Amino acid sequence: MEIRDLFWSLPAIALLQVFLFFLFKNPKKTTLKLPPGPPTLPIIGNLHQMASPLPHKKLKDLADKYGPLMHLKLGEISTVVISSSRLTKEFMQTHGLNFADRPQTVIAKIMMYNCSGVTLSMYGDYWRKLRQIYVTELLNTKSVQSFSSIMEEELILMVKSIESEVGKPMELIEKIRSYLFDTLCRSALGKIHGKGKETLIEISREMVALSGVQTLEDIFPSVKLFSYLNPLRPKAKKLFKRLDSVLEDIINQQENKLLSLKDGDNQQEKEEDNMLSVLLRLRNGKDSKVKLTNNDIKAIIFELFVGGISTSSTTIEWAMSELMKNPEMMEKGKHEVRQVLKGKKRVCQIDVENMSYIKLVLKETLRFHPPGPLLFPRKSREQCEIDGYTIPAKAMILINNWVLGRDPEYWVDPEKFEPERFKDNLVDYKGNHFELIPFGVGRRICPGISFAVTNIELLLAALLFHFDWKLPHGMDPKDLDMIELYRSGCTRKNPLVLIPKIYIPTGDENY
């Protein structure tokens, strides 16, 4: 959920400019020493300069001219853009508490239960307790390890699905998304009966497309008329109603399961355990650290799907794209995976720990193709001074993550995909090094890093272990396009199409 769709509605904004002129009083000139930035137009500010399909690159061009700390005016919204690791550390570590809030869009409030999940809720007691639940109950190392059997079982099903289409061109992303959704579904919700799963998939895809939308109502909040003219409001409400009904049914199913298992043996209850059952026990427990409502639980569960599927699927597709474009890297990756798994018929999570090159490929993919080129926005709680400039209260803070991963001050030959750069390099992606922060940084860093990385490494290892891959129509790897498309993250514009050839069949005896 990022700042994006306002970039696609500029023609409409231009047509409304004259109309808006009569709705606004002339803004008072500020005496604050704001960071430098490009000149603004009346009413729309710098929106016209964001008319780019790849806003992270447009912001990079502007930062080259105006500096790594830059001020823009997007409609009525004061926006500060950060394009350096040093300044990111200053904002998110030195002044971290002041930038711990999130801006909340109108559409997100409608569809994400008034932003009551850990991703969008405002910083405070509720958020801290919710974050603690994520870290200690839902996504800690022990919990992720407990889900490894689910990952491995779903991985076998995905491999078999690919085996059924051997020799035919396929869009790899569809297989990846299906695996990730099934894994998340079982880990978060357990086994769903009826049509709930298919409906949840359908709604999730539609809502992900809408979840990051900023409308005129968001960028001109003082114009109340836009709340009535916003065409996305009724669409979002309709989708939300369907989502809420599905999640309510799933919660009821899980509650009935827990009741039926109450008098059962511990082993059976353990096998049925999942994130939803944990949340329900916390909700019902007398000593719970935070009182959860059903809507809170729905928001938590749904944001796991929204965040987990889009980020991981994008990263895996880019990793496979780079390996296909660089055959020597593909061969190195396959050789390592097949040596580690020599004599085995399937990939297990414990084996991946010994695959050092796969981990280098993942790090380099996260640097070169960050799933969120612009990190999820922050909002300043109070006015403050940084680097000699005033950062206004309630300003939106954008970190250009794409630029940080290409900063020549930190990276040698940054425009080259080179996994070996991380060999003997202590830089990690867990928020300790500000030149590589694909999962965010500071208080609001993604709590699902371990779950996401485990899934990505396991899936990538399986793709290289079970199959040899080639491009369709005898395409030369050098001709594989790497064109980006900016939506809810930065994906391939054209899905990666590959032809699989079986190297190691799944082997039912190990299933």
Side-chain angles (χ1 to χ4, degrees):
M1 293 188 285
E2 294 138 359
I3 305 306
R4 53 187 180 87
D5 284 72
L6 64 89
F7 305 143
W8 311 108
S9 58
L10 290 177
I13 293 174
L15 291 174
L16 285 167
Q17 185 173 352
V18 175
F19 171 71
L20 291 171
F21 180 82
F22 292 101
L23 295 178
F24 284 87
K25 294 180 180 179
N26 290 329
K28 296 179 180 179
K29 291 187 176 180
T30 179
T31 57
L32 301 177
K33 187 183 179 183
L34 298 172
T40 61
L41 290 179
I43 309 304
I44 66 170
N46 299 107
L47 283 175
H48 63 293
Q49 291 168 308
M50 301 307 298
S52 169
L54 299 173
H56 53 293
K57 294 187 177 180
K58 179 64 176 181
L59 288 174
K60 193 265 184 190
D61 293 340
L62 290 173
D64 286 344
K65 184 175 182 180
Y66 295 100
L69 185 59
M70 179 171 59
H71 181 265
L72 302 176
K73 193 78 169 179
L74 303 182
E76 295 178 3
I77 308 301
S78 246
T79 305
V80 176
V81 183
I82 306 168
S83 301
S84 85
S85 300
R86 178 186 67 81
L87 286 168
T88 299
K89 184 176 182 179
E90 182 76 8
F91 272 76
M92 299 303 153
Q93 183 169 296
T94 307
H95 296 271
L97 181 60
N98 192 41
F99 301 103
D101 275 344
R102 298 283 199 198
Q104 299 175 338
T105 67
V106 169
I107 300 303
K109 287 180 179 179
I110 293 173
M111 298 196 305
M112 302 299 288
Y113 294 89
N114 200 31
C115 299
S116 56
V118 74
T119 303
L120 288 173
S121 56
M122 290 298 184
Y123 185 81
D125 289 341
Y126 172 80
W127 178 86
R128 282 191 292 270
K129 292 175 181 178
L130 202 60
R131 170 84 183 187
Q132 188 175 8
I133 290 174
Y134 270 77
V135 172
T136 62
E137 303 285 349
L138 299 181
L139 294 171
N140 58 31
T141 302
K142 184 178 179 180
S143 297
V144 173
Q145 288 175 347
S146 73
F147 296 136
S148 62
S149 61
I150 293 175
M151 297 178 187
E152 291 165 11
E153 289 172 12
E154 292 298 334
L155 198 63
I156 290 293
L157 296 177
M158 186 207 70
V159 170
K160 288 181 176 180
S161 175
I162 296 176
E163 286 178 344
S164 69
E165 300 180 44
V166 161
K168 302 175 184 177
M170 66 171 63
E171 290 188 4
L172 188 61
I173 191 68
E174 292 304 317
K175 301 294 183 183
I176 294 169
R177 285 174 180 157
S178 179
Y179 161 79
L180 290 170
F181 189 92
D182 289 342
T183 302
L184 265 172
C185 201
R186 287 184 60 186
S187 302
L189 305 174
K191 293 181 180 179
I192 302 175
H193 301 289
K195 295 183 179 180
K197 177 180 171 181
E198 289 73 20
T199 306
L200 191 56
I201 293 174
E202 177 191 344
I203 295 173
S204 296
R205 289 185 175 180
E206 291 187 60
M207 293 184 75
V208 165
L210 278 178
S211 59
V213 173
Q214 275 211 327
T215 65
L216 290 174
E217 190 177 353
D218 294 302
I219 58 179
F220 296 107
S222 68
V223 185
K224 301 305 179 184
L225 179 63
F226 285 146
S227 65
Y228 302 100
L229 299 178
N230 188 346
L232 294 182
R233 268 183 175 268
K235 182 176 182 179
K237 288 180 178 179
K238 185 177 179 180
L239 276 173
F240 172 77
K241 187 176 181 180
R242 292 179 63 202
L243 171 71
D244 188 64
S245 176
V246 171
L247 291 178
E248 188 69 32
D249 287 344
I250 290 171
I251 288 176
N252 290 336
Q253 285 182 26
Q254 187 64 45
E255 286 183 314
N256 291 334
K257 279 185 185 179
L258 292 176
L259 286 173
S260 67
L261 292 169
K262 191 172 182 180
D263 299 323
D265 59 69
N266 292 333
Q267 181 60 32
Q268 186 181 12
E269 185 167 355
K270 182 179 179 181
E271 289 173 355
E272 294 290 333
D273 210 14
N274 52 66
M275 296 183 199
L276 177 55
S277 65
V278 172
L279 291 171
L280 290 175
R281 283 196 289 270
L282 288 172
R283 184 200 67 183
N284 299 332
K286 294 180 180 180
D287 298 326
S288 295
K289 296 177 181 179
V290 58
K291 297 299 180 183
L292 294 174
T293 67
N294 265 19
N295 281 353
D296 294 333
I297 292 174
K298 292 172 190 175
I300 293 168
I301 292 298
F302 188 63
E303 74 177 358
L304 286 169
F305 283 94
V306 172
I309 295 175
S310 59
T311 299
S312 298
S313 60
T314 296
T315 300
I316 296 167
E317 188 180 35
W318 279 122
M320 284 296 290
S321 298
E322 290 291 353
L323 291 177
M324 293 303 299
K325 197 171 183 67
N326 298 277
E328 71 286 354
M329 296 180 189
M330 173 64 84
E331 289 303 314
K332 190 168 183 177
K334 289 193 299 185
H335 176 75
E336 178 188 72
V337 170
R338 293 169 184 180
Q339 282 296 112
V340 171
L341 297 171
K342 192 172 183 179
K344 299 185 179 182
K345 294 289 186 179
R346 59 179 290 187
V347 181
C348 294
Q349 194 271 327
I350 192 171
D351 296 314
V352 179
E353 295 304 312
N354 298 316
M355 298 178 187
S356 58
Y357 190 71
I358 291 297
K359 297 179 184 299
L360 299 184
V361 169
L362 173 58
K363 277 190 176 183
E364 180 67 346
T365 302
L366 292 171
R367 179 195 73 85
F368 204 62
H369 300 285
L374 300 178
L375 289 184
F376 210 108
R378 303 288 188 96
K379 186 171 74 171
S380 55
R381 308 175 86 193
E382 298 176 350
Q383 179 176 302
C384 68
E385 303 293 320
I386 294 181
D387 233 34
Y389 296 103
T390 300
I391 309 301
K394 298 183 179 180
M396 182 168 64
I397 311 300
L398 287 178
I399 298 175
N400 196 336
N401 188 31
W402 184 83
V403 168
L404 304 190
R406 283 171 162 76
D407 189 343
E409 182 179 345
Y410 295 95
W411 306 103
V412 177
D413 203 1
E415 296 298 328
K416 182 180 180 182
F417 186 85
E418 187 59 60
E420 279 81 0
R421 75 172 70 247
F422 285 101
K423 190 176 181 180
D424 301 321
N425 188 334
L426 296 179
V427 171
D428 63 36
Y429 43 69
K430 299 179 181 179
N432 300 313
H433 303 89
F434 289 84
E435 60 269 37
L436 185 68
I437 50 173
F439 296 101
V441 68
R443 288 171 171 81
R444 304 302 294 244
I445 192 170
C446 173
I449 295 177
S450 180
F451 188 87
V453 168
T454 299
N455 247 326
I456 293 169
E457 291 179 344
L458 192 64
L459 181 48
L460 188 56
L463 293 174
L464 300 191
F465 177 61
H466 289 286
F467 303 100
D468 290 316
W469 301 90
K470 67 178 182 178
L471 295 166
H473 313 301
M475 182 189 302
D476 190 307
K478 295 179 181 178
D479 296 330
L480 177 63
D481 81 83
M482 307 295 273
I483 303 173
E484 299 175 339
L485 178 66
Y486 195 94
R487 283 292 185 265
S488 55
C490 213
T491 64
R492 287 183 57 89
K493 182 177 182 180
N494 303 306
L496 180 64
V497 177
L498 298 177
I499 301 174
K501 177 184 177 182
I502 295 177
Y503 177 76
I504 297 288
T506 51
D508 289 335
E509 69 276 7
N510 286 319
Y511 181 55

